[in-house]
Amino acid sequence: MNKSRVEAFTDAVLAIILTIMILEFKTPESMKLTAILHQVPYLISYAIGYLFIGVAWYNHHYMFAKTHFVTKKIYWANNLWLFSTSFLPVATAWVGENLRAQGPQIFYAICYAFWAFAYMLLSYLIAQVNAANGHEDVAQSIHSMLIYRFLSHWQTASLHVIATVVVLIFYPAIQLLLVAAEIIFIGARSNSDSDKLF
């Protein structure tokens, strides 16, 4: 399968997701500057969602730049990942209505867990297909990505789940801070060759 077609499709879907997220931002009825303060919770969740997609796109681009193959399994895993990402505008909008509300935060956590599973599956399949076809260097590059190591290491994944459950029970609003910290300190830390691929 032509990987540039899959990349173009992925870029288009992610662009639509980002557009939907900003369209959820409501223009205040009042002309006073203070009226925008009611939108601050959504702006916070939107900023984290935008960062989330931006970092995910960068890592996705890295994996697809490295891979020599896009098989049917990789194609469908990529579609699953896009499907999981498409829930982010709904989760972002609902959390933005009340950062302290437990229900929206639980939904956001479920969407995040679904996304992590889909991303892990996509990464695993790309590494597996390349290793099986004599491109062990590609598999090694993907396995060395910090986000891959974080998601595939059962101890860190377990700690993440425990921390998320505790936060959701006692301090739901902190969950977005945990997500932002993971994005910045894990997802955004890319391999050293990520800016030397082209």
Side-chain angles (χ1 to χ4, degrees):
M1 182 173 284
N2 187 330
K3 73 175 180 176
S4 63
R5 293 289 307 276
V6 179
E7 288 176 301
F9 176 71
T10 301
D11 291 348
V13 172
L14 292 179
I16 291 167
I17 291 169
L18 286 173
T19 302
I20 291 169
M21 283 173 52
I22 194 58
L23 290 176
E24 287 294 326
F25 182 76
K26 306 298 182 213
T27 306
E29 297 290 329
S30 170
M31 293 299 128
K32 293 182 179 178
L33 183 59
T34 54
I36 204 75
L37 295 177
H38 298 291
Q39 292 293 325
V40 168
Y42 183 76
L43 284 174
I44 292 169
S45 62
Y46 170 74
I48 292 169
Y50 192 97
L51 181 66
F52 186 160
I53 291 177
V55 168
W57 179 88
Y58 190 88
N59 287 315
H60 182 277
H61 174 64
Y62 176 79
M63 291 190 300
F64 269 72
K66 286 287 213 175
T67 189
H68 293 274
F69 307 96
V70 175
T71 63
K72 195 186 305 183
K73 284 184 181 179
I74 291 172
Y75 169 74
W76 284 110
N78 191 67
N79 277 341
L80 181 67
W81 175 71
L82 287 172
F83 179 67
S84 70
T85 307
S86 71
F87 284 96
L88 193 58
V90 177
T92 298
W94 198 16
V95 165
E97 289 183 18
N98 185 346
L99 294 176
R100 295 186 181 97
Q102 194 176 49
Q105 292 285 3
I106 290 171
F107 181 71
Y108 196 100
I110 291 168
C111 291
Y112 186 73
F114 180 32
W115 178 90
F117 167 77
Y119 187 84
M120 183 66 211
L121 177 64
L122 177 61
S123 304
Y124 171 78
L125 288 174
I126 291 172
Q128 181 190 48
V129 166
N130 280 277
N133 287 281
H135 297 281
E136 191 61 45
D137 57 323
V138 174
Q140 184 56 40
S141 292
I142 292 169
H143 289 152
S144 67
M145 294 173 68
L146 186 58
I147 190 169
Y148 182 88
R149 288 184 285 139
F150 177 79
L151 293 174
S152 64
H153 193 258
W154 72 268
Q155 288 99 332
T156 55
S158 299
L159 284 175
H160 169 75
V161 169
I162 292 167
T164 300
V165 169
V166 169
V167 163
L168 288 172
I169 292 170
F170 298 106
Y171 306 103
I174 295 177
Q175 184 205 197
L176 284 184
L177 294 177
L178 287 177
V179 170
E182 286 179 12
I183 293 167
I184 293 166
F185 297 111
I186 297 169
R189 291 179 60 197
S190 55
N191 289 5
S192 59
D193 67 337
S194 66
D195 58 351
K196 301 170 187 171
L197 294 175
F198 297 101

